[in-house]
Amino acid sequence: MAKTYDAIVIGTGQAGPSLAVRLAGAGQKVAVIERKLFGGTCVNTGCIPTKTMVASAYAAHMARRAVEYGVNVGGPVTVDMKRVKARKDAVSEKSRTGVEGWLRGTKNLTVYEGQARFESARDVSIGPERLTAPQIFINVGGRAVVPALPGIDTVPYLTNSSMMDVDFLPRHLVIVGGSYIGLEFGQMFRRFGSEVTIIEMASRLISREDEDVSATVREILEAEGVHIRLNAKCIALSKRGDEIAASVDCTDGPPTAVGSHLLLAVGRRPNTDDLGLEKAGVEVDKRGYIMVDDQLRTSAPGVWALGDCNGRGAFTHTSYNDYEIVAANLLDGDSRRVSDRIQAYALYIDPPLGRCGWTDAQVVGSGRRALVGKRPMTRVGRAVEKGETQGFMKIVVDADTKEIMGAAILGVGGDEVIHCILDAMYAKAPSTVLQRAMHIHPTVAELVPTILGELKPLTGARTGAGSAA
Ligand SMILES: Cc1cc2nc3c(=O)[nH]c(=O)nc-3n(C[C@H](O)[C@H](O)[C@H](O)COP(=O)(O)OP(=O)(O)OC[C@H]3O[C@@H](n4cnc5c(N)ncnc54)[C@H](O)[C@@H]3O)c2cc1C
């Protein structure tokens, strides 16, 4: 006999728990199913543990720089990786048990542990158990891609998940993938004391970003001794004694990078291949992402998909925003939509990159007349006082309407400062509003109005008058 609920939530990532509790609070009888760790990727193998480790790496970095600030540390700085891991585990665990306790303590809500599979658009099985509900919400997230590189089966490798068990210092960490996850781990382990080589197939790091962002990030990492190998078109792996060799076929430098450990950081894939979606009539795209409309409904009536598995975002905040959209539509009579949101995220190297809106390339591609304001962090008082002057701030504005189109703050506090620009964009305020705002001194954000008063034509953008074709 199937157990009957008003709603079933599959997965306890960043959308599922909040939605389940909200539905239960509205009087619905809700089942939540989790197959592994409560809280999902962010809590256990993603944002929270990595940012906790980034903080340890920052402490080591600043300790090494202490003398520049007139502070004596008294001896060489070393890192105790067991304690780094223990600190990270404690922070993650608190969050994980918090999510689990919250779910288990919620009235009208039943927690199941196990692998959920659709039997139909209304029925889900967990082993021999069968649940049925008129509403099913999928929040199954994703996992690291293991690319089919030649030799991959012959060498041991780490992913972002198994990196969480590392409680020792790799002698030489070779990272395949020069994007967000690879760069965060790369700088972090360099600061812990490993030799680090990052191998990237493209001609620049984080190639989705603007060229000036990629170039400055490269400078920041190379200044700390991270080796970067670009244009690695045919990566192949092999064992070389106790070490791992990655042939990189780059246009310059030796043809092989040899390290003690290998981290694969080449992207993620959705956990949709073992869900029985075909039995529910839930359609996926060719990469396995669940296809959804602007309110996150799938092709099967009564089934929604939230978070990374729907391909509409790959962040904790996009997943949580998915929850808000679905809850607003179902419970508040408020027709919120995915298309209401503005692209925003951060890269947590140090200094961090805060990003919102369009890249320069997207602005140029739009055919709109655009202006840009840019300032190096060496000309930001707060950064100078802190002795952290790497990077720059950049804001792009529509020349005709003064709409803020995008921004990149690569510098100390960039992950926070970006929000003053993002919120002005949500308010649909022209750049002149922000330009006239009085900001607090001394802060990084105090330069945002100044930058908006120094706009120049954006290279490559249309300059002539009249509307874009
Ligand atoms: C190394 C790393 C660093 C990151 N850093 C950041 C960051 O700084 N900021 C940021 O915004 N994002 C970051 N992310 C991304 C972020 O972690 C995810 O976008 C976020 O966790 C949202 O995921 P989700 O809600 O889609 O599901 P997830 O958090 O992936 O959770 C899905 C859950 O579903 C469960 N599940 C899967 N299939 C089934 C099934 N069939 N039955 C039952 N349960 C199932 C899984 O066990 C898991 O617990 C990072 C990711 C990684 C890997």
Side-chain angles (χ1 to χ4, degrees):
M1 268 287 282
K3 291 192 178 126
T4 304
Y5 288 91
D6 296 314
I8 297 171
V9 175
I10 304 175
T12 64
Q14 292 301 308
S18 299
L19 183 61
V21 169
R22 188 70 216 283
L23 292 167
Q28 298 196 20
K29 195 176 159 208
V30 182
V32 176
I33 311 166
E34 173 54 56
R35 72 175 176 192
K36 208 168 171 201
L37 298 173
F38 287 87
T41 308
C42 180
V43 166
N44 299 290
T45 57
C47 343
I48 291 180
T50 54
K51 270 78 251 182
T52 307
M53 292 166 78
V54 163
S56 291
Y58 180 72
H61 180 66
M62 292 312 271
R64 287 190 194 103
R65 291 188 58 203
V67 69
E68 292 173 39
Y69 296 81
V71 176
N72 297 321
V73 168
V77 174
T78 57
V79 175
D80 180 342
M81 289 303 294
K82 290 207 165 18
R83 286 177 68 181
V84 168
K85 178 175 179 293
R87 177 174 180 274
K88 178 269 292 177
D89 287 345
V91 174
S92 266
E93 191 190 340
K94 188 158 185 245
S95 201
R96 179 170 57 249
T97 52
V99 173
E100 182 173 0
W102 185 41
L103 292 173
R104 292 197 190 278
T106 297
K107 199 173 143 220
N108 296 336
L109 196 159
T110 307
V111 173
Y112 291 85
E113 289 189 68
Q115 165 81 28
R117 278 195 183 80
F118 279 93
E119 300 300 334
S120 76
R122 297 281 169 275
D123 300 293
V124 171
S125 63
I126 316 155
E129 201 136 29
R130 183 77 75 113
L131 313 183
T132 184
Q135 310 171 97
I136 301 181
F137 303 93
I138 308 170
N139 179 218
V140 292
R143 61 183 184 274
V145 166
V146 176
L149 296 172
I152 188 82
D153 297 335
T154 65
V155 295
Y157 58 80
L158 295 153
T159 65
N160 72 281
S161 298
S162 49
M163 280 302 280
M164 295 298 113
D165 300 327
V166 171
D167 65 353
F168 57 88
L169 193 65
R171 187 190 64 73
H172 185 165
L173 182 62
V174 174
I175 301 174
V176 176
S179 201
Y180 309 88
I181 293 175
L183 300 188
E184 289 181 11
F185 277 116
Q187 187 187 47
M188 179 198 304
F189 274 82
R190 179 69 193 136
R191 289 180 169 192
F192 291 151
S194 295
E195 192 172 348
V196 172
T197 300
I198 297 175
I199 301 174
E200 167 56 47
M201 286 172 130
S203 59
R204 57 190 175 92
L205 298 174
I206 38 171
S207 52
R208 263 177 288 179
E209 302 296 338
D210 292 329
E211 289 188 19
D212 52 358
V213 171
S214 293
T216 307
V217 164
R218 180 179 180 176
E219 276 168 32
I220 290 166
L221 296 177
E222 287 187 331
E224 295 186 27
V226 174
H227 310 296
I228 293 170
R229 307 295 308 273
L230 302 173
N231 300 302
K233 301 279 181 240
C234 335
I235 302 169
L237 305 162
S238 59
K239 283 285 275 176
R240 189 171 290 185
D242 286 346
E243 310 256 274
I244 300 157
S247 62
V248 290
D249 189 39
C250 297
T251 44
D252 54 11
T256 309
V258 181
S260 59
H261 294 80
L262 173 71
L263 167 62
L264 300 176
V266 293
R268 300 191 43 88
R269 56 178 290 196
N271 289 326
T272 52
D273 45 345
D274 53 2
L275 253 181
L277 290 175
E278 59 297 338
K279 291 190 183 167
V282 172
E283 286 175 25
V284 297
D285 69 15
K286 58 182 185 308
R287 294 189 304 149
Y289 288 99
I290 298 172
M291 289 159 73
V292 289
D293 67 12
D294 211 14
Q295 292 174 324
L296 303 167
R297 291 176 288 229
T298 70
S299 53
V303 181
W304 288 256
L306 303 87
D308 290 8
C309 68
N310 65 24
R312 304 293 288 269
F315 300 100
T316 280
H317 45 276
T318 47
S319 181
Y320 188 78
N321 188 243
D322 284 358
Y323 142 65
E324 293 179 317
I325 290 166
V326 170
N329 278 289
L330 294 182
L331 300 171
D332 303 333
D334 180 357
S335 62
R336 290 180 64 174
R337 291 167 183 276
V338 178
S339 51
D340 293 338
R341 69 188 178 210
I342 298 168
Q343 166 101 299
Y345 53 88
L347 162 68
Y348 289 92
I349 59 162
D350 169 47
L353 168 70
R355 275 271 303 112
C356 67
W358 288 356
T359 60
D360 292 0
Q362 287 171 315
V363 172
V364 169
S366 74
R368 286 160 69 176
R369 289 200 322 134
L371 304 171
V372 62
K374 191 170 170 184
R375 169 172 288 247
M377 296 305 284
T378 48
R379 291 182 58 222
V380 176
R382 185 73 172 135
V384 174
E385 291 147 15
K386 289 184 150 205
E388 298 180 65
T389 53
Q390 291 170 309
F392 59 83
M393 304 165 81
K394 180 171 72 171
I395 311 172
V396 177
V397 172
D398 184 297
D400 298 306
T401 63
K402 301 288 178 281
E403 177 191 345
I404 303 171
M405 300 174 85
I409 313 282
L410 173 58
V412 60
D415 52 331
E416 301 288 349
V417 176
I418 197 72
H419 289 93
C420 77
I421 300 163
L422 180 61
D423 289 345
M425 291 171 77
Y426 272 112
K428 299 195 189 318
S431 61
T432 44
V433 170
L434 201 45
Q435 187 186 339
R436 290 172 194 191
M438 182 188 74
H439 283 188
I440 296 166
H441 174 75
T443 59
V444 175
E446 76 177 316
L447 272 306
V448 167
T450 312
I451 291 169
L452 290 170
E454 300 171 345
L455 300 173
K456 297 187 174 63
L458 174 70
T459 308
R462 197 171 62 84
T463 50
S467 59

